[in-house]
Amino acid sequence: MFLRIREPVEAVTFSFDGRSVTAARGDTLAAALLAAGVETFRDSVVGGEPRAPYCLMGICYECLVTIDGIQNRQSCLIEVREGMVVNSQHGARLVTGGADR
């Protein structure tokens, strides 16, 4: 998978599916997760197959995750923040009423 060529100078810590992950300040969330050895970011809505980033520039939507309770966030476009809580996404987003309908 992906390996860092040097340790982060300014480290940021966040969680992914309950596991603590350390990244470099300025990393995208997708890059940080790939560097930490994460292979599956979400499950396909259609067949449940595992998915991970493909384009790393916001076009393919394979890197969708839930960040701080907000679903369908493109991890390749979001910079890591200290303390963020990230979870893999399983299936389609939950519709809770209001503007989502």
Side-chain angles (χ1 to χ4, degrees):
M1 209 64 191
F2 290 83
L3 298 173
R4 291 193 182 279
I5 57 174
R6 65 182 71 86
E7 289 300 311
V9 175
E10 290 185 58
V12 175
T13 303
F14 64 96
S15 71
F16 180 73
D17 287 345
R19 173 180 136 203
S20 181
V21 178
T22 301
R25 185 170 309 283
D27 278 355
T28 65
L29 181 54
L33 290 171
L34 289 169
V38 175
E39 295 180 358
T40 301
F41 284 44
R42 69 180 187 95
D43 294 332
S44 169
V45 175
V46 177
E49 296 89 2
R51 298 288 194 222
Y54 180 72
C55 73
L56 293 172
M57 61 182 187
I59 305 230
C60 73
Y61 291 87
E62 296 293 354
C63 67
L64 295 177
V65 293
T66 300
I67 302 173
D68 295 329
I70 301 171
Q71 298 173 328
N72 291 332
R73 302 298 307 273
Q74 288 176 275
S75 62
C76 68
L77 300 178
I78 296 174
E79 192 173 308
V80 292
R81 292 186 324 273
E82 183 68 38
M84 68 190 324
V85 177
V86 183
N87 290 292
S88 53
Q89 194 163 294
H90 303 283
R93 71 185 183 115
L94 299 174
V95 177
T96 58
D100 288 332
R101 293 185 179 209

